[in-house]
Amino acid sequence: MSSRRSFIKSGSLLTAGAFIKPPYFDKKTNYIGLQLYTVRDAMQKDPVGTLAKVASIGYNSLEGATYTGTQKFYGMDPAAFLKVLKQHGLIMPSAHYRLGKEKENGQIQKGTMLSEWDRAVDDAAKVGIKYMVCAYLSDAERGGIDHYKVVADALNKAGERCKKSGIQLCYHNHDFEFQAQGSTLPYDVLLKTDKNLVKMEMDLYWVSKAGKDPVELINQHPGRFPLFHVKDMDKTPAKAFTEVGNGSIDFKRIFKQADKAGMKYFFVEQDTTPGNPFDSITKSITYIKKNLV
């Protein structure tokens, strides 16, 4: 997680999502989304060219990664970034942000839930973002169960501000939230947030790696998961990231429960790839088009 942690420090993760059509979903619009963290190096070098390439592969919605710290979207202000999205037939319905307790170079990060959140929400609304997502809790932002209750309170407060602008706050899980502290899971504490103010982006890989069943979570908390992260787990003992359809996660089984989950958008993400990330996201979308949408 070190590379992801350092990357998140310099940018919030904006997220790409997708409505699904039958047999798994009854939606009028079909989006297949990409989490731009997957192509982060290319986005840093040439964001406009990278977005064009992502669109040409077949993705039509995005989740990005550079707002926090810069308070811009890949170096662009909201109006300029929205113009680029429209030029390539893309939308960005979801975005990742930081809680903001962790300091960088001794300074509180701006554009986080704890610092200048009003501006972050206003900018998100200008881009058309519907979901602002707490991307990750750093080691400094974790703690005991009582601390997670403080985090939950902060999420409720941030979600209340989002709601005023017609945006839904979500929380994106990894696996550490499922490591029991006594008889309690941190994730269960986070689920006790106001379900109208804070919903969940379920990362199917991390839930599975933690030894939990995504379908069981959906059955326990119907309607709480408007966003999915779709990444696969390889069949080696390392359980590493791999292309969707190339690993051990039964996406068909999970996607059949999408309506019960309340899922509105999904986002392909592969934190690391064995070679060119564009090859990997092409393999993933090929599987998705053939099997899930």
Side-chain angles (χ1 to χ4, degrees):
M1 291 302 300
S2 59
S3 62
R4 182 179 184 86
R5 187 178 301 120
S6 61
F7 183 79
I8 290 175
K9 285 182 180 179
S10 64
S12 67
L13 306 181
L14 302 170
T15 322
F19 284 131
I20 297 191
K21 65 185 180 183
Y24 301 114
F25 301 90
D26 184 18
K27 306 297 182 186
K28 294 181 180 179
T29 307
N30 181 40
Y31 291 114
I32 300 177
L34 178 69
Q35 161 54 261
L36 289 175
Y37 182 74
T38 310
V39 291
R40 56 195 175 276
D41 293 337
M43 285 298 294
Q44 287 181 333
K45 294 175 183 177
D46 179 13
V48 175
T50 300
L51 292 178
K53 190 168 184 177
V54 166
S56 71
I57 291 172
Y59 292 92
N60 50 16
S61 58
L62 306 170
E63 186 175 60
T66 67
Y67 184 85
T68 302
T70 66
Q71 294 181 293
K72 289 181 178 291
F73 299 101
Y74 295 96
M76 291 172 266
D77 62 31
F81 187 66
L82 181 59
K83 183 178 180 180
V84 173
L85 293 180
K86 289 182 176 180
Q87 286 174 343
H88 298 292
L90 297 165
I91 63 169
M92 192 166 73
S94 176
H96 274 201
Y97 295 83
R98 292 300 307 276
L99 177 64
K101 184 177 181 181
E102 183 182 41
K103 293 184 178 180
E104 185 174 2
N105 299 322
Q107 301 294 319
I108 294 293
Q109 299 178 59
K110 296 181 180 180
T112 66
M113 296 175 198
L114 299 180
S115 179
E116 298 193 13
W117 188 236
D118 282 337
R119 176 178 167 180
V121 174
D122 289 343
D123 284 352
K126 292 173 185 176
V127 173
I129 291 168
K130 299 176 181 179
Y131 298 90
M132 298 179 77
V133 184
C134 182
Y136 174 75
L137 298 179
S138 68
D139 291 341
E141 294 170 327
R142 304 177 205 173
I145 292 301
D146 287 341
H147 179 72
Y148 276 99
K149 293 178 181 178
V150 174
V151 172
D153 288 341
L155 291 173
N156 277 330
K157 184 177 180 180
E160 199 167 1
R161 174 60 183 87
C162 287
K163 186 177 181 179
K164 292 178 181 178
S165 294
I167 295 173
Q168 176 68 61
L169 185 75
C170 294
Y171 179 86
H172 168 264
N173 69 275
H174 288 76
D175 58 348
F176 60 83
E177 298 94 338
F178 297 95
Q179 296 170 6
Q181 298 190 24
S183 60
T184 306
L185 298 180
Y187 197 68
D188 288 338
V189 175
L190 298 176
L191 280 166
K192 290 181 180 178
T193 50
D194 186 319
K195 64 182 179 180
N196 294 313
L197 297 178
V198 183
K199 295 192 183 295
M200 300 291 172
E201 177 174 57
M202 186 189 293
D203 189 303
L204 303 179
Y205 170 91
W206 287 114
V207 168
S208 300
K209 191 168 187 182
K212 303 299 180 181
D213 181 0
V215 172
E216 184 176 336
L217 271 177
I218 291 168
N219 288 334
Q220 292 171 348
H221 305 279
R224 199 73 189 269
F225 305 98
L227 309 175
F228 285 178
H229 262 194
V230 180
K231 65 176 78 167
D232 213 341
M233 180 189 302
D234 75 17
K235 299 175 183 178
T236 71
K239 298 182 178 180
F241 307 115
T242 191
E243 294 76 18
V244 178
N246 193 43
S248 59
I249 296 177
D250 188 348
F251 293 105
K252 292 181 180 179
R253 173 176 173 266
I254 298 168
F255 273 41
K256 287 178 181 177
Q257 303 303 317
D259 285 340
K260 187 172 185 178
M263 199 276 275
K264 298 297 188 295
Y265 297 92
F266 72 82
F267 316 106
V268 170
E269 183 184 40
Q270 191 170 337
D271 301 45
T272 59
T273 61
N276 188 321
F278 291 101
D279 292 339
S280 289
I281 66 173
T282 299
K283 292 178 182 177
S284 290
I285 198 171
T286 299
Y287 174 87
I288 288 168
K289 286 183 173 180
K290 183 177 180 180
N291 294 278
L292 301 179
V293 302

